[in-house]
Amino acid sequence: MSLTSPALAAKLAGLQSSAIRDLLKLTARADIISLAGGLPDAALMPRERIALAAGTALRDPAVLQYTESPGWPALREVIAARESTVIGRAVPPAEVFITHGSQQALSLLAEVLLDPGALVIVEDPAYVGALQVFRAAGARIVAVPLDRDGMRLDALEDLLAAGERPVVVHTVASFHNPGGVTLAHERRRRLAELAESHGFWVIEDDPYGELWFDRPAPAPIAAHSSQVIRLSSVSKILAPSLRVGWMIAPDHVCRAVELLKQGADLCGSALTHQIAADLLTDTAWLATHVASVRAAYGSRARTLVTALRTTFGDRVHCTDATGGMFVWADFTDGTDTTALLPTALATGVAYVPGAAFAVSDSYRNSMRLCFTTSDEPTLTEAITRLAKATDPS
Amino acid sequence: MSLTSPALAAKLAGLQSSAIRDLLKLTARADIISLAGGLPDAALMPRERIALAAGTALRDPAVLQYTESPGWPALREVIAARESTVIGRAVPPAEVFITHGSQQALSLLAEVLLDPGALVIVEDPAYVGALQVFRAAGARIVAVPLDRDGMRLDALEDLLAAGERPVVVHTVASFHNPGGVTLAHERRRRLAELAESHGFWVIEDDPYGELWFDRPAPAPIAAHSSQVIRLSSVSKILAPSLRVGWMIAPDHVCRAVELLKQGADLCGSALTHQIAADLLTDTAWLATHVASVRAAYGSRARTLVTALRTTFGDRVHCTDATGGMFVWADFTDGTDTTALLPTALATGVAYVPGAAFAVSDSYRNSMRLCFTTSDEPTLTEAITRLAKATDPS
């Protein structure tokens, strides 16, 4: 039997694998240095500390049972305390909702907040996981470009002045994926003001906030308005396989998400929730651990940026990589990164062409480079290979 | 800001907590013996074996990383091998899709298979988790009653003869929740035939199949047709907090579910998947463990049934409890179980009134009793209290 529903076909098309992604499957080859991934480094994840926490957690039979749909209470409490500090107001546990990674928060929020045709404003280039969810929800998507200070609020204000009425504005405000940039303090404040004056939700999607290299990102947008729904997760600082993300949102949003979560998968894992709660509560250990991840990624980022600038000079402009996992680089000489990819793969290096993240602009001269899973000599060699690919003479 | 979309309101209404469920929140009181739950007994879950598996798994950094959307490969392989034996044909790993409990399989399948208005046939009384998902998907729901041999296929055939064209027929064929009954072998074969001749999918939802007390249930419906999508999980034999369910379905269904899973939550937990794989692979240990769970539940079930029959005689008819977690009992004297509940709670015993599971019939004289989480003397005392509640003189 075939699956022929037009509604499903449209939805699946929104989620469909792209040609670029199919090409990137080749990057698993051992002879290719892949800067195309988007994964944190498993070697930096705290395996022994997690094993210790698992052993401790498993002294309590309750961690094996079903738990509450909004999450294991101990984890909601520690997240509430942490987010209270980050946001600068007392966040009650009722406004903390644990999700199966923050991707689940995005998908449940899309169901709660968006009717088909609702306007969602995203950044360009965009975080693809969010774009897929909004497309699958049937939203109308309009993009606002990034500059070095993050989302261009002048472009957003132009849209609002032209009568556009977004339901949601989605932003990866700190250490953007793929753009590498961070929304400036003043823009955060202004975006919160616009949310209140125009009655839209801001989804502040913040998986990388803790991964700053020199200094933390500015206070979150959520510090400036209660119309901001904040998402984060432990995937980038502890481990993705804990599948612990969360949403900080007003009570009535959390209660709607709760009903959807019950239908979607009943509840999360009390076991992995308790492991996360244990690690997040162990603040002295956590500070040391996160500092070591920052130091490792920071060194790799600097190596990559230096190699790019030394090797390509003015032929490539790239972000400073002040945090997160990605450098965004633009060829200034007209090199088409999608066309270059097969040559780059043949030369033994992979990246993601800018086109894979494009909404309105085409980003044909851009590429995303991930520095998290390669050591410094490998990153330098990757850029040497990339130079060879662009100049095969 | 309020959430005012009519589409969302309709969806949330499908998932809404019922008045009965609100009343049952009282059952957490220490002085109430609750037979109202639907949970396996955490005390019987293999905590030490899981701790051992967690320690072993955590020697490999890969268990901390993101994994493939269809699930951790080692787990898919062991499930494929197990299901090949159960179904009686070689199930390739590509037809195994690991979900976050089988509830997620239901919700993703509803998205893949059902357009709004599509006809879904469920059992009456129904598994509420499935009913909620089908209602939230906007399906038209028609119920077929159970008898002591499971779904009444004569009633299904009447519907088909009357021109009804279901897209999906959902059944908990073995040790039904809440009905306690098991679909007879000949009906399984016939249901598979009807699926093929009328072109509908059967969703064979089988969380309790391993929990037989005297003898296994008949071969699964999936043994008789490839138009059967089989769901199961480790929640009832190992632990719900592993959040490991699975779906056995044709490749094109799995690939559509895969795209939806990526949007929904990217992937499951490699850590809990590997723990489940370890335990399911340790077949000698597993056989002993599952046998001990069967023995414990079987003894509790027999105690409950005996207490009901001894105490109420002909005033109550109940199922034999040959497996699973539930006894379904009908008052033959017209006692209204919804009306009785407050009195029962005051007397110190809780159950779920039949009305909570009703689709077409009202089941006002019925109740579901869960025997998994109380020991034998407690179960006997529960029925003594129930008798008091029905005869307060």
Side-chain angles (χ1 to χ4, degrees):
Chain A
M1 290 158 72
S2 62
L3 307 170
T4 51
S5 143
L8 176 66
K11 182 155 197 173
L12 294 181
L15 295 163
Q16 203 66 252
S17 287
S18 69
I20 289 172
R21 261 182 287 170
D22 289 344
L23 199 54
L24 289 173
K25 285 181 184 163
L26 299 173
T27 63
R29 273 171 37 197
D31 57 332
I32 291 180
I33 301 173
S34 179
L35 309 185
L39 303 180
D41 187 352
L44 298 177
M45 295 174 198
R47 265 195 300 143
E48 289 181 12
R49 186 65 188 80
I50 288 173
L52 184 67
T56 308
L58 284 163
R59 289 184 206 145
D60 178 5
V63 304
L64 293 179
Q65 192 54 278
Y66 291 100
T67 185
E68 299 171 15
S69 298
W72 179 246
L75 178 58
R76 292 173 74 198
E77 275 172 36
V78 59
I79 300 289
R82 284 170 59 86
E83 289 285 342
S84 297
T85 305
V86 172
I87 299 178
R89 66 172 176 88
V91 175
E95 297 183 8
V96 177
F97 196 100
I98 310 296
T99 52
H100 189 77
S102 50
Q103 183 72 24
Q104 184 177 51
L106 278 174
S107 73
L108 296 178
L109 280 174
E111 277 196 82
V112 165
L113 302 177
L114 303 176
D115 281 326
L119 175 60
V120 174
I121 290 181
V122 299
E123 294 160 319
D124 199 10
Y127 168 56
V128 174
L131 205 57
Q132 288 177 330
V133 163
F134 297 139
R135 283 183 176 146
R140 184 165 72 88
I141 292 170
V142 172
V144 167
L146 300 173
D147 65 17
R148 53 180 300 160
D149 287 326
M151 181 187 278
R152 273 186 46 202
L153 284 207
D154 61 319
L156 174 61
E157 295 195 57
D158 286 350
L159 288 170
L160 296 171
E164 291 285 19
R165 289 294 168 263
V167 176
V168 163
V169 174
H170 175 265
T171 174
V172 181
S174 299
F175 316 122
H176 193 270
N177 172 13
V181 294
T182 291
L183 192 66
H185 169 78
E186 181 52 30
R187 291 193 188 176
R188 291 175 185 231
R189 206 192 46 70
R190 179 68 182 140
L191 179 55
E193 269 178 17
L194 291 171
E196 300 210 340
S197 57
H198 288 78
F200 58 78
W201 293 100
V202 174
I203 298 182
E204 179 179 30
D205 196 350
D206 189 23
Y208 310 111
E210 300 248 10
L211 293 181
W212 48 266
F213 302 149
D214 299 315
R215 69 190 67 81
I221 310 166
H224 305 288
S225 167
S226 61
Q227 273 179 225
V228 179
I229 298 174
R230 229 180 98 70
L231 313 186
S232 191
S233 94
V234 300
S235 296
K236 307 307 186 288
I237 57 166
L238 298 176
S241 78
L242 298 177
R243 305 311 294 127
V244 166
W246 58 86
M247 170 177 92
I248 310 297
D251 184 71
H252 69 291
V253 173
C254 287
R255 299 295 71 76
V257 168
E258 181 173 353
L259 288 171
L260 294 177
K261 170 90 178 165
Q262 285 169 5
D265 62 12
L266 293 179
C267 63
S269 166
L271 175 58
T272 69
H273 286 196
Q274 174 53 32
I275 293 171
D278 184 340
L279 273 59
L280 294 176
T281 308
D282 188 354
T283 50
W285 170 83
L286 183 67
T288 307
H289 166 70
V290 175
S292 75
V293 177
R294 278 182 201 129
Y297 287 172
S299 167
R300 292 171 194 178
R302 281 185 295 275
T303 300
L304 178 63
V305 167
T306 301
L308 275 169
R309 290 178 179 162
T310 309
T311 307
F312 288 100
D314 273 348
R315 282 182 66 205
V316 168
H317 285 170
C318 73
T319 52
D320 286 331
T322 56
M325 297 175 32
F326 305 104
V327 167
W328 182 258
D330 300 298
F331 280 98
T332 55
D333 62 0
T335 298
D336 182 317
T337 54
T338 302
L340 179 67
L341 188 56
T343 313
L345 291 171
T347 317
V349 63
Y351 56 82
V352 185
F357 311 99
V359 186
S360 295
D361 199 334
S362 65
Y363 299 107
R364 53 186 296 173
N365 306 127
S366 307
M367 58 189 164
R368 188 190 76 174
L369 305 170
C370 177
F371 49 76
T372 52
T373 50
S374 306
D375 62 17
E376 288 78 354
T378 306
L379 288 163
T380 304
E381 169 64 18
I383 299 309
T384 303
R385 293 184 187 184
L386 185 63
K388 233 179 260 170
T390 58
D391 184 18
S393 62
Chain B
M1 291 159 72
S2 61
L3 307 169
T4 51
S5 142
L8 176 67
K11 182 153 194 175
L12 294 181
L15 295 162
Q16 203 64 251
S17 287
S18 69
I20 289 172
R21 259 182 288 167
D22 290 342
L23 199 54
L24 289 173
K25 285 181 183 161
L26 298 173
T27 62
R29 271 170 38 195
D31 57 331
I32 291 179
I33 301 173
S34 180
L35 309 185
L39 304 180
D41 188 351
L44 298 177
M45 296 174 198
R47 265 194 301 143
E48 290 180 13
R49 185 65 188 80
I50 287 173
L52 183 67
T56 308
L58 284 163
R59 288 183 208 147
D60 177 4
V63 302
L64 293 179
Q65 192 55 280
Y66 292 98
T67 186
E68 299 171 15
S69 299
W72 179 244
L75 178 58
R76 292 172 74 197
E77 275 173 36
V78 59
I79 300 289
R82 284 170 59 87
E83 289 285 341
S84 297
T85 306
V86 173
I87 298 177
R89 66 172 175 88
V91 174
E95 296 183 8
V96 177
F97 196 100
I98 309 296
T99 52
H100 189 78
S102 51
Q103 183 71 24
Q104 185 178 50
L106 278 174
S107 72
L108 296 178
L109 279 174
E111 278 195 81
V112 166
L113 302 178
L114 303 176
D115 282 325
L119 176 60
V120 174
I121 289 181
V122 299
E123 294 160 319
D124 199 10
Y127 168 55
V128 174
L131 205 56
Q132 289 176 331
V133 162
F134 298 140
R135 282 183 176 148
R140 183 165 72 88
I141 293 170
V142 171
V144 167
L146 300 173
D147 66 17
R148 56 179 299 161
D149 287 326
M151 181 187 278
R152 274 186 46 201
L153 284 207
D154 61 319
L156 174 60
E157 295 196 56
D158 286 349
L159 288 170
L160 295 171
E164 291 285 18
R165 288 295 169 261
V167 176
V168 164
V169 173
H170 176 264
T171 173
V172 182
S174 298
F175 316 121
H176 194 271
N177 173 12
V181 295
T182 291
L183 192 66
H185 169 78
E186 181 53 29
R187 290 194 190 178
R188 292 175 185 231
R189 206 192 45 69
R190 180 68 182 139
L191 179 55
E193 269 178 17
L194 292 170
E196 301 210 339
S197 57
H198 288 78
F200 58 79
W201 293 100
V202 174
I203 297 181
E204 179 179 31
D205 196 351
D206 189 23
Y208 311 111
E210 300 248 12
L211 294 181
W212 48 267
F213 302 149
D214 299 316
R215 71 189 65 82
I221 309 165
H224 305 289
S225 167
S226 62
Q227 273 179 225
V228 179
I229 297 174
R230 228 180 99 70
L231 313 186
S232 191
S233 93
V234 301
S235 295
K236 308 307 188 288
I237 58 165
L238 298 176
S241 78
L242 298 177
R243 306 312 294 126
V244 167
W246 59 86
M247 170 176 93
I248 309 297
D251 184 70
H252 69 290
V253 174
C254 287
R255 298 294 71 77
V257 168
E258 181 173 353
L259 288 172
L260 294 177
K261 169 92 177 165
Q262 285 169 4
D265 63 11
L266 295 180
C267 64
S269 166
L271 176 58
T272 68
H273 286 196
Q274 175 53 32
I275 292 171
D278 184 340
L279 272 61
L280 293 175
T281 309
D282 188 355
T283 50
W285 169 84
L286 183 67
T288 307
H289 166 70
V290 175
S292 74
V293 177
R294 277 182 201 129
Y297 287 172
S299 168
R300 293 171 193 177
R302 281 185 295 275
T303 300
L304 178 63
V305 168
T306 302
L308 275 169
R309 290 177 178 161
T310 309
T311 306
F312 288 99
D314 274 349
R315 282 181 66 205
V316 168
H317 285 170
C318 73
T319 52
D320 287 330
T322 57
M325 297 175 32
F326 304 104
V327 167
W328 181 259
D330 300 298
F331 279 98
T332 56
D333 61 1
T335 298
D336 182 316
T337 54
T338 302
L340 178 67
L341 187 56
T343 312
L345 290 171
T347 317
V349 63
Y351 56 83
V352 185
F357 311 99
V359 186
S360 295
D361 199 334
S362 65
Y363 299 107
R364 54 185 296 174
N365 307 127
S366 307
M367 59 191 163
R368 187 190 77 174
L369 305 170
C370 176
F371 49 76
T372 53
T373 50
S374 306
D375 62 15
E376 288 77 354
T378 306
L379 288 163
T380 305
E381 171 63 17
I383 300 309
T384 303
R385 294 183 186 183
L386 185 63
K388 234 179 261 174
T390 59
D391 183 18
S393 60

